[in-house]
Amino acid sequence: MDISARTEYAIRAVLILARAQGDGVDPVPADELATEQGLPRKFLEAILADLRRGGVVSSQRGASGGYRLSRPAEQISIGAIFRAVDGPLAEVRGLRPHETTYQGVAEHLPTLWVAVRASLREVLDTVTVAQLLQGDFPDPVPRLLEAPDAWVNR
């Protein structure tokens, strides 16, 4: 799985907004988000627009404007951020896994693709922004990290 810069930057920006929400801070300007995490401002602004359209953040204009989470961090999954900026979690040549069909020896590939999507959902849709901010992960994350080769490249 390739996690895009868009998704990584989006999650990092949302974590800043979650911390600000917990501190009762006013909306956070895009400049501040970009500076704190060393993100390219123009690219981040496009990402924030995607997050706004995806219902993850809201924006406020004006001198005290900026961005804030659209709902509590406990109610936003990491999967929602992925989808807001990069679309579906799993696609095969532009199709959803369950929409693929193959002939002959490859006929069972859709089953594998659906299982891959389900495994992504198992992690990304169960971990919330609040949990990630605190490092307090629900199952299945700790269980998956206990695998002997979890941190080993292959």
Side-chain angles (χ1 to χ4, degrees), residues 65-89:
Y67 295 86
R68 62 170 43 111
L69 296 181
S70 61
R71 56 191 184 277
E74 296 82 6
Q75 296 176 12
I76 302 171
S77 74
I78 301 304
I81 299 168
F82 267 76
R83 290 180 187 94
V85 298
D86 270 341
L89 293 179

Side-chain angles (χ1 to χ4, degrees), residues 6 14-15 27 42-43 49 56 68 71 73 75 85 90 93 119 125 136 142 151 154:
R6 290 182 69 77
V14 166
L15 287 169
K42 287 291 184 186
F43 190 34
V56 176
R68 62 170 43 111
R71 56 191 184 277
Q75 296 176 12
V85 298
R93 294 177 295 110
S119 69
D125 288 341
D136 183 24
W151 295 89
R154 290 198 228 182

Side-chain angles (χ1 to χ4, degrees), residues 26-29 60-68:
D26 288 335
V28 181
Q60 178 178 321
R61 294 181 183 204
S64 62
Y67 295 86
R68 62 170 43 111

Side-chain angles (χ1 to χ4, degrees), residues 25-111:
V25 176
D26 288 335
V28 181
D31 282 341
E32 189 176 319
L33 293 170
T35 300
E36 181 170 330
Q37 284 292 306
L39 307 176
R41 186 177 187 278
K42 287 291 184 186
F43 190 34
L44 180 59
E45 286 176 354
I47 292 166
L48 289 166
D50 288 341
L51 289 170
R52 190 174 36 78
R53 280 189 294 277
V56 176
V57 304
S58 60
S59 61
Q60 178 178 321
R61 294 181 183 204
S64 62
Y67 295 86
R68 62 170 43 111
L69 296 181
S70 61
R71 56 191 184 277
E74 296 82 6
Q75 296 176 12
I76 302 171
S77 74
I78 301 304
I81 299 168
F82 267 76
R83 290 180 187 94
V85 298
D86 270 341
L89 293 179
E91 285 187 324
V92 181
R93 294 177 295 110
L95 297 173
R96 303 290 176 92
H98 65 278
E99 296 171 337
T100 61
T101 58
Y102 303 91
Q103 303 298 317
V105 296
E107 71 179 309
H108 300 292
L109 270 176
T111 303

